[in-house]
Amino acid sequence: SSSQLVSGELPGGEGSGEVGATVYRVSDGDTVRVSPEIEGEGAVRLIGVDASETKSSGRDSSEPYAEEARSFTQSSLEGGDLTLEFDAERRDDYGRLLAYVYLPDDTMCNETLLR
């Protein structure tokens, strides 16, 4: 189920929460850009997923299977509406939001990517 986003803030303050968003770009296999931004951040890293880094991630070359992971995430999520579920730890060391990502049919994308 989707929750409403109000002025880019998560409902309920600290702790877990859910918001609706749209993926407008896939950065790599485990990071997407969403709109509207949440808490001033558009980059969302999928909790529990560590995909290989692509060349576009600032590397000289892509790691093995990086393009395949990015392509899979792109075909699964880009342009789609989804629900982001946040845990108590909301950001990683790079300031990206950490979330479980759900499609409208309640499929958890984090789990699908791991499979």
Side-chain angles (χ1 to χ4, degrees):
S1 67
S2 287
S3 298
Q4 293 296 319
L5 181 70
V6 179
S7 303
E9 296 298 324
L10 287 174
E14 294 301 315
S16 63
E18 292 183 3
V19 296
T22 300
V23 173
Y24 69 86
R25 186 170 51 116
V26 172
S27 301
D28 58 30
D30 57 19
T31 306
V32 298
R33 303 288 300 187
V34 298
S35 177
E37 289 187 352
I38 301 161
E39 296 180 347
E41 179 60 50
V44 175
R45 173 89 187 258
L46 281 71
I47 293 173
V49 178
D50 188 13
S52 299
E53 299 298 323
T54 61
K55 186 175 182 177
S56 64
S57 302
R59 303 178 66 80
D60 292 333
S61 63
S62 295
E63 294 177 346
Y65 301 108
E67 292 303 327
E68 291 86 348
R70 182 183 181 284
S71 178
F72 182 82
T73 301
Q74 189 171 26
S75 67
S76 301
L77 301 180
E78 196 167 78
D81 294 330
L82 39 87
T83 300
L84 305 174
E85 180 182 357
F86 299 93
D87 206 344
E89 186 176 340
R90 292 205 185 168
R91 294 184 185 266
D92 67 7
D93 293 339
Y94 301 100
R96 296 172 296 198
L97 293 166
L98 299 169
Y100 297 103
V101 177
Y102 294 89
L103 295 174
D105 68 0
D106 289 332
T107 299
M108 181 195 282
C109 298
N110 308 56
E111 181 179 355
T112 301
L113 286 168
L114 290 174
R115 287 182 194 191

